[in-house]
Amino acid sequence: MDAKRLASHLSVSGQIVPDALAAAARAGFRSVICNRPDGEGGDQPSFAEIDAAAQAQGLEARYLPVVSGAISDAEVDAFAEALATLPRPVLAYCRTGTRSATLWALSEGKAGGAKTEIAAAATAAGYDVSGALRRIDANGSPPRETEDLFHSVVIVGGGAGGIAVAASLKARKPDLDIAVIDPADIHYYQPGWTMVGGGVFAPAGTARTMASLIPKGVRWIKAAVAAFEPERKAVILEGCRTVRYDRLVVAPGLKLDWAGIEGLTETLGQNGVTSNYRYDLAPYTWDLVRNLRSGRAVFTQPPMPIKCAGAPQKAMYLSADHWLRQGRLKDIAVELYNAGPVLFGVKEYVPALMEYVRRYEAGLHFQHTLVRIDGPAKRAWFSRKSEDGGSETVERAFDMIHVVPPQRAPDFIRASPLADGAGWVEVDPASLRHVRLPGIYALGDACNTPNAKTAAAARKQAPVVAHNLLVDMGHLRGPEVAYDGYGSCPLTVERGKILLAEFGYGGKLMPSFPAWLIDGTKPSHMAWLLKERMLPPIYWKAMLKGREWLAKPQAVDKAA
């Protein structure tokens, strides 16, 4: 916890964890305000976890979530009311502290505070509230007339897609003026979290600082995006700052909607409830697997689309394999509850997967969507679709449950002019250019392209976006290139063997290796070695460095 003091009664900080509440109490804080909506990041504890830890330390906690850069007057008033009524001093936090500082600046300004003093206090704490001060001058209207920054190419998102496309652009045109916008300090290799949950990888090996990964010569704007104004070629940041561009690349990833399952946020990380979709919970998965001796282990999969659709099954297979090797599987009932109608969407891989389902005697329940959970009671409720279109509620007891939350595009994407009717960035599936708005490209999980949402897909998409964007800008000559929908899902069916599913649009098989080396329809140790030993360095040292091994884009065939 790195609390920055704004006033005698208020300090702000970036995201805190439950263990930090003891230190907060020792530092003299008596209340905590959470200004960050649940589910914004993969390493973010829920407010329910923070609240429980705060109560254990005798602190009051209040949940006042605000969407980054879209702070309303009502939210400013609610923040001021909380400061006036909660025991002082108060610690307010969000992802980086900027939202909390902005709320304070706006509330102080609305109450008649001197702007010079507000600015001085915020600056001393390391926060730029100039946009909030301009909003005060504009009588509460978010300012848009001041253009703080300009870059030829602006990339929204510093995840796998964003960093990869920045590196691919720099590899093609080293002097290109690029900025990456992302508020996170840590970049995660999320494909590794399944292996953490299976006791194969250490958590620390899946995380690196964002600063160490931003390509040389690329500016990192450490802020959250609030809105897009494509008619002005502008991105509005948290705190009301503006960034202008010639070309825009959008790669913000997905939002994990933990609150979309009733009761889940209150019990995550305890009572046998876990998920490999969060950095801090994947180790808990392995703890549960190692310590379970008997009972029922439940694994869930929500409606599509989700990132890495094979991950829920991977957790089940690795867990069951451990129990089988330890001689415990006979005493553990393994069950998969899948919201979809089939085990895997590409039929060629199903026979091999079914062999493992039979090996582990796993129960398959299709058309079952997790809707509610009671951790202390060890009960879960599913909505089950029937063939006649009706539904019923099914209750199940569990001793361990691995939960995958429903997923959607981030709120600032869903509310933007970039989105289609379902909330995803609307792009041409081949060129990855926006279908309505010129000069805008997108890749990764937030696109509406009908491909598997995997890091392997982003690895193939990044060179396509880089090439087509530079052709569009006149920096490259030649035809456009096309993304073919490639995605890869290394299905860890047992420790030491993987089924390497590789496919493109329409479920077309797209193997990267000859069948004598790796036959993707059959589990192999070679595929395991690829996942365990080769893919992490390929990610860190090739994909994020603009080295496009097995990812060179193909020119569009105009005659096709």
Side-chain angles (χ1 to χ4, degrees):
M1 181 187 69
D2 184 18
K4 304 292 182 61
R5 180 171 170 171
L6 292 175
S8 60
H9 61 289
L10 175 67
S11 296
V12 300
S13 81
Q15 178 69 55
I16 61 174
V17 296
D19 289 347
L21 273 301
R26 290 195 298 271
F29 291 107
R30 298 179 62 198
S31 303
V32 176
I33 299 175
C34 172
N35 295 131
R36 189 181 187 191
D38 281 343
E40 274 193 341
D43 59 347
Q44 174 188 355
S46 67
F47 174 70
E49 295 172 74
I50 296 295
D51 187 27
Q55 291 184 40
Q57 298 296 327
L59 305 177
E60 288 195 36
R62 188 167 299 184
Y63 188 48
L64 295 177
V66 296
V67 175
S68 180
I71 298 172
S72 68
D73 283 345
E75 289 166 338
V76 173
D77 292 341
F79 187 81
E81 189 272 337
L83 288 182
T85 58
L86 285 171
R88 297 181 174 186
V90 177
L91 173 65
Y93 74 90
C94 54
R95 187 198 301 258
T96 64
T98 300
R99 259 171 286 185
S100 300
T102 301
L103 281 163
W104 170 79
L106 290 171
S107 64
E108 287 291 298
K110 199 170 183 181
K115 293 193 294 295
T116 54
E117 295 180 5
I118 296 171
T123 300
Y127 294 102
D128 179 3
V129 295
S130 57
L133 298 180
R134 293 199 302 272
R135 173 169 167 173
I136 294 168
D137 289 335
N139 296 319
S141 299
R144 295 290 184 266
E145 70 284 355
T146 301
E147 298 162 8
D148 295 333
L149 299 171
F150 171 84
H151 292 278
S152 294
V153 177
V154 169
I155 300 170
V156 174
I163 298 294
V165 79
S168 288
L169 284 166
K170 277 293 184 181
R172 287 166 171 79
K173 186 168 176 53
D175 62 343
L176 189 64
D177 175 27
I178 305 173
V180 171
I181 303 174
D182 196 296
D185 289 304
I186 304 298
H187 177 109
Y188 295 102
Y189 176 57
Q190 295 183 29
W193 292 351
T194 293
M195 302 290 264
V196 173
V200 182
F201 286 176
T206 68
R208 294 192 181 179
T209 63
M210 187 72 76
S212 70
L213 298 174
I214 299 292
K216 184 178 180 180
V218 172
R219 178 174 183 177
W220 175 26
I221 300 175
K222 191 174 182 292
V225 170
F228 299 92
E229 293 186 352
E231 71 282 359
R232 293 200 313 119
K233 291 191 172 184
V235 175
I236 311 304
L237 303 180
E238 175 179 72
C240 303
R241 290 185 295 159
T242 301
V243 184
R244 296 287 301 275
Y245 58 82
D246 279 333
R247 298 296 186 275
L248 175 68
V249 179
V250 183
L254 286 178
K255 177 178 179 178
L256 304 180
D257 188 11
W258 300 101
I261 299 170
E262 182 182 348
L264 178 58
T265 59
E266 292 86 351
T267 194
L268 268 173
Q270 55 186 328
N271 302 313
V273 182
T274 190
S275 179
N276 290 341
Y277 275 70
R278 219 173 78 182
Y279 172 77
D280 61 322
L281 292 180
Y284 182 53
T285 300
W286 179 231
D287 287 343
L288 292 173
V289 170
R290 285 186 300 172
N291 294 320
L292 189 66
R293 297 292 188 273
S294 63
R296 178 181 285 135
V298 172
F299 299 83
T300 77
Q301 179 163 328
M304 298 293 285
I306 63 171
K307 64 171 68 182
C308 192
Q313 289 183 55
K314 296 178 192 180
M316 178 182 74
Y317 297 137
L318 277 179
S319 300
D321 178 65
H322 177 77
W323 296 323
L324 180 63
R325 293 170 187 263
Q326 296 298 314
R328 301 182 210 156
L329 188 59
K330 63 183 182 300
D331 299 315
I332 298 174
V334 178
E335 298 183 358
L336 175 67
Y337 289 81
N338 188 340
V342 295
L343 183 61
F344 197 75
V346 182
K347 65 181 184 347
E348 285 83 357
Y349 301 110
V350 173
L353 294 175
M354 284 302 301
E355 289 186 16
Y356 280 89
V357 169
R358 289 188 286 269
R359 172 187 291 190
Y360 302 134
E361 298 182 355
L364 300 182
H365 306 273
F366 299 116
Q367 308 282 22
H368 283 67
T369 302
L370 180 64
V371 293
R372 184 161 72 93
I373 192 166
D374 185 333
K378 299 286 183 75
R379 313 293 289 186
W381 290 263
F382 299 85
S383 174
R384 174 184 174 273
K385 289 183 181 179
S386 57
E387 293 183 0
D388 61 5
S391 65
E392 62 176 338
T393 299
V394 176
E395 181 180 351
R396 286 289 184 272
F398 64 83
D399 294 278
M400 165 191 168
I401 185 168
H402 179 274
V403 176
V404 179
Q407 296 165 37
R408 60 182 183 175
D411 293 338
F412 71 93
I413 294 292
R414 294 169 60 85
S416 78
L418 279 59
D420 65 9
W424 306 96
V425 183
E426 189 176 12
V427 297
D428 174 77
S431 69
L432 301 179
R433 185 190 302 109
H434 202 280
V435 299
R436 293 179 286 104
L437 302 170
I440 297 177
Y441 296 79
L443 72 158
D445 295 345
C447 292
N448 68 348
T449 50
N451 60 278
K453 296 183 182 298
T454 66
R459 183 171 64 88
K460 289 278 191 147
Q461 291 171 336
V464 171
V465 171
H467 180 96
N468 290 345
L469 183 149
L470 291 174
V471 169
D472 187 21
M473 296 183 75
H475 295 309
L476 287 181
R477 293 184 178 181
E480 284 192 336
V481 294
Y483 170 59
D484 54 17
Y486 175 87
S488 175
C489 186
L491 290 151
T492 49
V493 290
E494 63 175 289
R495 192 180 183 109
K497 283 191 177 181
I498 275 177
L499 188 77
L500 184 60
E502 296 180 283
F503 48 92
Y505 287 141
K508 178 183 177 182
L509 300 192
M510 301 184 68
S512 298
F513 306 94
W516 61 264
L517 182 62
I518 297 179
D519 181 348
T521 63
K522 299 176 182 178
S524 72
H525 183 60
M526 183 64 71
W528 174 274
L529 293 177
L530 177 70
K531 168 75 173 177
E532 180 189 26
R533 301 184 184 180
M534 294 182 64
L535 290 184
I538 287 172
Y539 181 85
W540 298 116
K541 298 179 181 180
M543 177 178 171
L544 302 189
K545 301 296 184 182
R547 303 183 180 101
E548 296 162 5
W549 180 68
L550 294 179
K552 292 290 184 183
Q554 300 298 313
V556 175
D557 184 359
K558 297 294 185 180

